[in-house]
Amino acid sequence: MANTELKSDNLFEMMKGHLASDAGKELTKKIGLVYQINIASKKIGIDEVSYVVDLKKGEVTKGKYGGGKPDAIFSFKDDDFIKVATGKMNPQMAFMRFPMPRISLINTMMMQGCNED
C-alpha cells in the first residue's frame, strides 16, 4: 500500500500548509489534541495508510503516531474521507456507515464542537 497514491494524500499536504499559517497556529493552541487517521483505499482495516494530525505541535506526518497513544484514531475509506473533509458527507453519516469502535464518544463530541466555529 505504501506505493499507492490516495486521493487523501493531497489533502494532508494542504493540512500541513494550513497548520504553518497563523490560522493554523491558532487552531493548534485551541485544540491541542493528536489524531491518527487511517485511510484505506478500498476496505477499512486492510492496507491502511496512517497520518498523524498533531494539534499539539502543529504538524501532519505520514505514519503511525510514535508518541504513545493519540487522543483519537479514525479509520476511513479514501473516498469517504475526501467527502467528509470537503463537506459532501456528514461525519456522523460516515460513522454510521462504517463503525469505528476506536473513537471514544468524548473525542467525537469534541470534534463536533470544533466544527461549530
Side-chain angles (χ1 to χ4, degrees):
M1 184 71 180
N3 294 331
T4 303
E5 185 170 326
L6 299 169
K7 296 173 190 171
S8 301
D9 291 338
N10 294 328
L11 185 60
F12 285 105
E13 286 300 316
M14 291 171 59
M15 283 185 201
K16 285 182 188 180
H18 179 72
L19 289 177
S21 72
D22 289 340
K25 291 174 185 171
E26 286 299 316
L27 186 66
T28 299
K29 288 179 193 174
K30 181 178 177 181
I31 296 176
L33 296 171
V34 177
Y35 300 98
Q36 180 176 304
I37 302 171
N38 302 322
I39 306 292
S41 62
K42 296 186 180 173
K43 186 174 180 183
I44 292 175
I46 298 176
D47 293 328
E48 292 179 331
V49 174
S50 298
Y51 283 91
V52 174
V53 180
D54 188 332
L55 297 176
K56 289 180 181 176
K57 297 179 182 177
E59 300 174 341
V60 176
T61 55
K62 194 171 191 175
K64 295 191 181 288
Y65 184 56
K69 284 178 56 176
D71 294 296
I73 299 172
F74 298 89
S75 293
F76 288 95
K77 290 188 344 184
D78 192 29
D79 288 337
D80 288 338
F81 182 72
I82 292 294
K83 288 176 187 173
V84 168
T86 58
K88 294 179 181 172
M89 179 187 283
N90 183 322
Q92 292 171 331
M93 181 57 113
F95 183 81
M96 300 288 273
R97 286 180 56 199
F98 303 103
M100 297 173 273
R102 295 178 275 183
I103 300 174
S104 70
L105 179 58
I106 193 161
N107 284 327
T108 302
M109 293 181 344
M110 290 176 75
M111 286 297 291
Q112 288 174 350
C114 293
N115 291 331
E116 293 176 0
D117 289 339

